[in-house]
Amino acid sequence: MITEHIFLDMVNDKPQRLNEVLPEIPTNVILNKTITGIGATYTEIKAQRNSIIVEPNRPVIYGKERQEKHKDDNIQGVYQGVDKNKIVKYLERTKRNGKFIKIMTTPESFPKVLDALEEMDIDIRYECFVLFDECEKLTKDCDYRQDITLPMDLFFQCQNKAMVSATPITDLSDPRFSSFRNIKIDPTFDYKRNLNLQTTNNILQRTKEIIPAMLESNEPLFVFVNSTDMIHAMMKNLNLIEQSAVFCSEKSVEKLKELKFKRAYEDWDVDKMMKINWMTSRFYSALDIELNEQPNVMMITDVYIAQWTMFDPCTDAVQVVGRFRNGVSSFTHISNWDYRIPYHSKTFFQVKCECDKIIYEKMNTFYGNASTPEYRAAYYDVLQVLPYKKYLKADGSVNYFKIDNYIDEEMTKVYYGEAKRLAEAYEQGDHFTIVHIHKSYIIGDFERLQIDDKSISTKEKRKRIVEQLELLGECETDADIQYKRDLRAADGFIVDAYDQLGKATIEELKYSVTKIKAAMIIKRHQEKTSSTDVFELVNTFFHVGNWYSRKYIKSKLSEIYTEMEIPRVKAVTSESIREFFDASESNKKKQKGFRLLSRRFEC
């Protein structure tokens, strides 16, 4: 694909706007803006032509509709809740007023736009310019947003069309891009941003250490985490509930409200901003967050909780920091890693896809040439489970964006196999100057994952807990103390057993619950009966040189054991006095008893 370069200068300490170097976006191009916020969408909104602008998420459209600078630009947002009739009325009003069509739509709502245009006898293929903004989302989101590629078949039929992003994926496998050319904006100034990469084996503890310093400043904090479950857990564990607002999808808003968290919103609004603002992936790109201050911005990845919390250093990170039009005070990425993720090159995944395709086509040939209905049915069942099947549309044609998505996701995962791989990915890109700080803790997220593993037996889980308790040792730090609390919440019995008996004894007893309980009772009995308080109480009622009947000894020791809450290893008898005194049996007035010779221990 041919690449053309257009240079962008700094004028009066600000980057030039896109329309100053490219007055109109050409057709059949993938426009790489390189830096965010230079006005690609603005350029198309101001262009003297009918425009259909496809935006990846509703918050972007919602924000553009309400911006003062666009109040006279005839923008009509189309998303869930905007029906075809409203679009038709907009088109009628636009025609009547002699204005250009400026429709901004989500991919999922694109069919409603087509229906409205058709009703107004407007042929999008010839009468509109179609711009797909933040086009990397086509590749990145198509695995879980089945309809994000809905506009693409018609997109390629349009005479006037383009794709744009500051982080486009240009190595696309769809052959329909063969006629496209790349236009790359090349800033003549240093546009790299500083990024503080914090790699760790304990996300919660590292976040707990970093956030307080950020909260001491007057600037707000924005935390990007693509998991509302993780957001809620972190707010709770870090005691940040009362200082936080969460911006996420409609379903997630409802989910958080069920958890009694009320400050969850579907759209960004500066009036809803709190000291700490948590955002999910629908706010990563295109959205304008215009603040008077420069906030602290943080991204958090936990590879053990979910793959979708991974940020692609080449795209996601660039888009996140680019949301803040007035700049940021600091930009931090906290992440752990999973050494079980193997290293593979991009070629490895491309070849794998090609092999999957060959296997599918061979099996499809067998299916087409099956000699009996039974063979045909068997081949059909096999076709449904082959890996290449997931790349096909309902009509059997290839969805090339899903192939690109697979390769892109696998390459992103590769970065998170080691801390140094992630750092190298940032360093090899064009957008960041990084400071990499690595901090490890005795117990980390991988060990926590082992305890949370519901596929293992109780005995295996307890073995893992004992191993981790050995690692913790004396629990010298707050993090160690908190983790021991977590282990106790997971299995209080084995933690108590470890505290009383130690690892060696538990292993000698082969993790037998019955034997461990008995050993704990004996240990507590021994500890209690050897305590100073018990000695003093026993010595109050029993004295060296005196004789006591068996009946009196049993009765009085039973009272003392009950009063002092001494665990019973076995029934209390008169023989129990030997735990405290050396004694000899003797009878007195035909009563059996003991004469106490000496104390076994001194108080």
Side-chain angles (χ1 to χ4, degrees):
M1 192 181 291
I2 299 171
T3 300
E4 300 175 15
H5 296 268
I6 296 177
F7 295 102
L8 191 77
D9 295 326
M10 186 75 76
V11 178
N12 297 325
D13 294 326
K14 289 185 178 181
Q16 287 180 288
R17 303 291 289 173
L18 180 66
N19 60 353
E20 295 180 86
V21 296
L22 188 68
E24 190 172 86
I25 299 172
T27 188
N28 290 348
V29 302
I30 298 176
L31 175 59
N32 182 353
K33 299 186 298 181
T34 305
I35 57 177
T36 58
I38 60 172
T41 310
Y42 177 88
T43 297
E44 188 54 41
I45 289 172
K46 295 295 184 180
Q48 298 296 295
R49 60 190 178 192
N50 294 326
S51 306
I52 310 296
I53 304 170
V54 184
E55 293 287 355
N57 293 300
R58 170 186 159 171
V60 183
I61 304 171
Y62 186 85
K64 296 290 185 187
E65 285 182 300
R66 285 155 181 75
Q67 283 182 340
E68 182 67 22
K69 64 185 176 183
H70 291 308
K71 67 177 183 179
D72 297 324
D73 288 330
N74 195 39
I75 295 175
Q76 174 62 57
V78 181
Y79 35 75
Q80 186 177 7
V82 178
D83 60 20
K84 186 189 79 170
N85 291 336
K86 185 171 183 178
I87 305 169
V88 169
K89 289 179 180 178
Y90 162 80
L91 293 172
E92 290 174 338
R93 186 170 62 252
T94 297
K95 183 178 181 180
R96 187 167 56 250
N97 295 335
K99 292 188 174 183
F100 289 107
I101 297 168
K102 298 295 174 183
I103 290 177
M104 301 183 73
T105 179
T106 62
E108 290 82 357
S109 289
F110 186 75
K112 291 186 290 188
V113 176
L114 289 184
D115 290 343
L117 290 172
E118 184 177 344
E119 185 167 321
M120 291 293 294
D121 292 324
I122 300 171
D123 194 331
I124 190 174
R125 296 172 300 172
Y126 307 106
E127 299 180 58
C128 299
F129 189 94
V130 181
L131 179 68
F132 207 113
D133 195 16
E134 309 303 345
C135 57
E136 76 280 355
K137 287 291 186 179
L138 283 165
T139 297
K140 289 194 160 292
D141 292 0
C142 68
D143 57 334
Y144 70 93
R145 289 176 65 184
Q146 297 298 319
D147 293 337
I148 194 170
T149 57
L150 270 179
M152 296 313 295
D153 286 339
L154 187 57
F155 173 84
F156 284 108
Q157 296 177 33
C158 294
Q159 281 190 344
N160 301 295
K161 56 189 177 292
M163 298 171 67
V164 62
S165 177
T167 56
I169 296 172
T170 56
D171 186 13
L172 298 167
S173 56
D174 195 321
R176 293 175 294 185
F177 282 111
S178 60
S179 61
F180 276 58
R181 57 198 171 99
N182 288 331
I183 294 180
K184 187 175 186 299
I185 303 299
D186 285 329
T188 59
F189 49 89
D190 182 10
Y191 59 90
K192 284 190 174 184
R193 297 175 183 265
N194 295 324
L195 183 141
N196 178 19
L197 177 61
Q198 297 273 345
T199 54
T200 180
N201 66 333
N202 192 321
I203 291 294
L204 185 63
Q205 183 59 31
R206 193 69 185 124
T207 305
K208 184 184 289 188
E209 293 170 357
I210 291 174
I211 279 185
M214 293 184 175
L215 295 182
E216 288 177 2
S217 68
N218 293 323
E219 293 84 8
L221 172 61
F222 285 78
V223 186
F224 289 80
V225 185
N226 196 28
S227 166
T228 47
D229 289 337
M230 186 172 161
I231 287 173
H232 187 263
M234 295 194 84
M235 287 193 299
K236 188 175 180 181
N237 289 328
L238 299 175
N239 296 318
L240 300 175
I241 293 281
E242 297 305 317
Q243 302 176 67
S244 294
V246 179
F247 299 88
C248 52
S249 68
E250 182 180 7
K251 288 183 180 179
S252 295
V253 167
E254 295 304 317
K255 185 176 183 179
L256 288 171
K257 286 182 178 178
E258 288 174 5
L259 295 170
K260 310 302 181 185
F261 182 80
K262 297 179 180 179
R263 292 182 301 280
Y265 310 104
E266 189 179 354
D267 293 299
W268 161 253
D269 191 321
V270 69
D271 293 333
K272 299 170 184 173
M273 184 174 69
M274 297 286 287
K275 182 67 175 176
I276 308 169
N277 305 279
W278 305 79
M279 291 186 156
T280 59
S281 63
R282 73 198 312 251
F283 297 92
Y284 288 4
S285 59
L287 180 69
D288 295 337
I289 300 180
E290 297 180 343
L291 306 172
N292 293 325
E293 59 268 81
Q294 293 184 324
N296 293 300
V297 179
M298 179 184 293
M299 306 186 301
I300 301 177
T301 296
D302 188 337
V303 298
Y304 297 112
I305 284 185
Q307 174 190 327
W308 54 86
T309 65
M310 296 180 183
F311 291 85
D312 185 339
C314 305
T315 56
D316 298 328
V318 180
Q319 292 291 345
V320 164
V321 73
R323 298 309 95 225
F324 301 91
R325 300 313 196 194
N326 193 35
V328 300
S329 290
S330 68
F331 186 35
T332 303
H333 184 187
I334 303 176
S335 181
N336 51 18
W337 70 95
D338 186 349
Y339 68 89
R340 297 171 298 179
I341 300 173
Y343 174 80
H344 290 300
S345 67
K346 186 173 184 178
T347 302
F348 173 89
F349 299 114
Q350 290 171 330
V351 171
K352 184 181 181 302
C353 283
E354 189 60 32
C355 289
D356 289 341
K357 177 182 178 182
I358 292 169
I359 293 169
Y360 185 89
E361 289 175 345
K362 285 186 178 295
M363 187 56 63
N364 200 34
T365 300
F366 290 147
Y367 169 72
N369 297 326
S371 57
T372 68
E374 291 79 10
Y375 276 113
R376 188 174 180 84
Y379 290 136
Y380 178 83
D381 289 343
V382 173
L383 283 169
Q384 304 316 302
V385 297
L386 289 176
Y388 198 72
K389 172 70 176 178
K390 65 178 176 286
Y391 305 133
L392 303 180
K393 301 177 187 177
D395 62 2
S397 61
V398 180
N399 186 334
Y400 291 98
F401 289 104
K402 287 196 172 182
I403 295 176
D404 296 336
N405 169 267
Y406 163 74
I407 296 170
D408 180 78
E409 285 197 347
E410 292 302 314
M411 285 306 300
T412 299
K413 281 194 283 186
V414 164
Y415 301 144
Y416 289 86
E418 294 181 57
K420 68 176 184 178
R421 286 190 214 162
L422 184 58
E424 287 170 358
Y426 275 116
E427 289 167 348
Q428 291 168 6
D430 297 328
H431 288 87
F432 297 106
T433 299
I434 74 163
V435 174
H436 181 199
I437 298 172
H438 178 75
K439 185 167 183 179
S440 291
Y441 301 84
I442 295 173
I443 298 292
D445 300 312
F446 179 71
E447 289 76 18
R448 191 185 300 273
L449 181 71
Q450 289 182 304
I451 301 306
D452 293 336
D453 187 352
K454 293 182 172 54
S455 67
I456 60 174
S457 65
T458 300
K459 182 176 180 180
E460 180 59 31
K461 179 179 178 180
R462 284 174 172 167
K463 285 182 178 179
R464 293 179 180 183
I465 289 175
V466 168
E467 292 291 341
Q468 292 182 22
L469 288 167
E470 279 285 287
L471 289 173
L472 283 174
E474 296 299 322
C475 291
E476 297 178 354
T477 68
D478 290 341
D480 296 343
I481 294 169
Q482 181 57 52
Y483 190 68
K484 188 167 184 178
R485 290 196 193 106
D486 294 341
L487 291 177
R488 191 178 297 281
D491 194 326
F493 167 74
I494 199 66
V495 175
D496 288 340
Y498 176 85
D499 286 344
Q500 291 186 46
L501 305 177
K503 179 184 178 185
T505 301
I506 292 172
E507 289 183 340
E508 285 174 10
L509 300 174
K510 297 181 178 180
Y511 287 85
S512 166
V513 174
T514 303
K515 292 178 180 178
I516 290 172
K517 284 183 177 178
M520 290 170 69
I521 291 171
I522 292 170
K523 185 73 178 291
R524 290 199 301 272
H525 177 88
Q526 292 171 342
E527 289 172 350
K528 279 282 190 178
T529 55
S530 62
S531 72
T532 301
D533 289 344
V534 173
F535 283 165
E536 289 180 351
L537 189 57
V538 169
N539 289 333
T540 300
F541 296 99
F542 298 95
H543 304 280
V544 172
N546 291 354
W547 178 92
Y548 300 94
S549 69
R550 284 180 176 270
K551 182 178 179 180
Y552 175 82
I553 291 171
K554 178 180 178 180
S555 173
K556 187 54 65 177
L557 286 181
S558 293
E559 289 179 17
I560 292 172
Y561 279 23
T562 300
E563 177 69 22
M564 301 301 289
E565 298 181 346
I566 298 174
R568 309 290 179 88
V569 177
K570 53 187 177 180
V572 179
T573 67
S574 58
E575 291 286 340
S576 301
I577 196 66
R578 295 184 186 275
E579 295 183 26
F580 304 97
F581 295 92
D582 291 323
S584 64
E585 292 187 58
S586 64
N587 297 334
K588 190 173 184 179
K589 296 181 181 181
K590 297 183 180 181
Q591 290 189 70
K592 294 182 178 181
F594 290 92
R595 184 172 297 282
L596 307 184
L597 304 177
S598 62
R599 295 189 183 97
R600 297 195 66 189
F601 306 97
E602 292 297 330
C603 298

